[in-house]
Amino acid sequence: MDTQAELRIIRAAYAKQVLAAANVIDARVAQAFAAIPREDFLGPGPWLVRRWLRDYVSTPDADPVYLYTDDLVALVPERSLNNGQPSLHAHLIHRALPAVGSHVVHVGTGTGYYTAILAHLVGPSGRVTGIEYDGGLAARARANLAPYANVEVIEGDGTQVPFDAADIIYVNACCTRPATRWLDGLADGGRLIMPMTSDQGFGGVAPERIASAGAVFRIERRAANYLAQWISPVAIFPCAGSRDEVSERALTEAFTRGGWQKVTRLYRDEDVPDERCWLRGPGWCLAYH
C-alpha cells in the first residue's frame, strides 16, 4: 500500500475519533475532517505537539501520521499560537451548520487548516473569506489555500475588515465583546460562533479554570433579533481589535458571578434591566431572556 493510501485510512480513523471526542454525529463534518490533509497546513516536520498537562513534545520525525491525534500543534510556539484542538473545532463547526452554498467568514484563519475544512463543507458553490491579523500567518494561509478556488484570504483586523453578508462568522480568537462588524455582517438566519474569555482564558490556563474563564456562544440572527446560546468552554488566543480593559473587567466579573450557560439573547440596546443581563457593554448585552 502506498503512503497516500495509508494516510487516507489514517485520516478516516482520525475523523471518527475526533467526532467521538466531540460527542458529535455529523457525517458531513466527519467526511471533511477525513478529506483535508492536516500536514498541508503546518509546515515541514517534525512538529511540536502540545500534550495534555504537558508542554510541547516534538514528533519523532516528519511522518504525518503523528498529526492525526486530537492535539494542538504549534504554529508559533514562542507565542503559544497553535493549530487548534480538532475535537473542539468539530463541535463548533457542527453547531455552526455550514451548508453547501454558504458564505463563511473565518476570523483568525491561522495557516488555513480549519478554513479548508469549512471550504470543503460549503462546496464549490459556496465560499470562505478567511481573515488573519498576523501578516506571516496570512501569507502562509494564502499559499496553503491556493488550491481552494472558493477561498479568499485577507490580512487585517477581523473586527474591522469589510465582508459580504455572511451565513456563518466563525471566530477563532477570543474576544471580550462582539464586534459591530460581526453583528451587522450576519445575514438573516446567519450564525456567529464567538469565543469570549477573561484575561485568565488563554495562554497556560489550568484545565480546571477553563470552564470559568472562557465560553463560546452561538449567536443566530433573526431579522433585528439575536438569539444566543452557550455551546462550549474554551481557552484560545486573543482577538486583536475585540479586547479592551473595560470589557475585560466586565467579562471577568460576569464569569465570577456565573450563569453564562443560561444566556438566551443578545440585545443591541441599553434598555434591558440589569437583573436580566449576564454581561453588558456599550449598546449591547448578553441576557437571560
Side-chain angles (χ1 to χ4, degrees), residues 133-275:
Y133 183 83
D134 184 285
L137 293 180
R140 290 172 65 182
R142 198 171 287 115
N144 294 337
L145 291 162
Y148 296 78
N150 60 344
V151 176
E152 177 187 16
V153 176
I154 301 171
E155 178 186 342
D157 183 341
T159 67
Q160 299 296 325
V161 170
F163 52 81
D164 295 338
D167 301 296
I168 295 166
I169 301 174
Y170 189 68
V171 181
N172 282 168
C174 61
C175 58
T176 55
R177 49 186 164 80
T180 300
R181 175 76 65 188
W182 301 341
L183 299 179
D184 288 346
L186 274 182
D188 192 11
R191 284 84 62 199
L192 165 64
I193 302 297
M194 181 178 67
M196 303 185 77
T197 66
S198 71
D199 60 359
Q200 302 299 312
F202 52 89
V205 61
E208 65 272 13
R209 288 274 302 135
I210 290 175
S212 60
V216 184
F217 291 95
R218 180 187 190 270
I219 312 296
E220 181 175 347
R221 185 172 189 174
R222 299 280 184 86
N225 299 312
Y226 296 83
L227 307 182
Q229 182 183 20
W230 173 87
I231 58 174
S232 177
V234 71
I236 196 170
F237 201 78
C239 179
S242 194
R243 302 189 73 89
D244 61 78
E245 287 187 14
V246 173
S247 61
E248 185 102 55
R249 187 163 54 249
L251 184 58
T252 298
E253 292 171 357
F255 276 121
T256 300
R257 289 193 306 272
W260 57 89
Q261 300 96 331
K262 299 176 183 179
V263 167
T264 60
R265 294 286 294 272
L266 184 148
Y267 290 98
R268 300 186 71 179
D269 58 57
E270 298 187 4
D271 296 331
V272 182
D274 287 344
E275 61 270 19

Side-chain angles (χ1 to χ4, degrees), residues 37-49 57-67 73-77 111 140 143-144:
R38 199 179 188 190
E39 63 271 22
D40 286 0
F41 298 89
L42 300 179
W47 301 275
L48 293 176
V49 178
V57 177
S58 179
T59 59
D61 53 49
D63 188 335
V65 69
Y66 298 115
L67 299 176
V73 179
L75 298 177
V76 187
T111 57
R140 290 172 65 182
N144 294 337

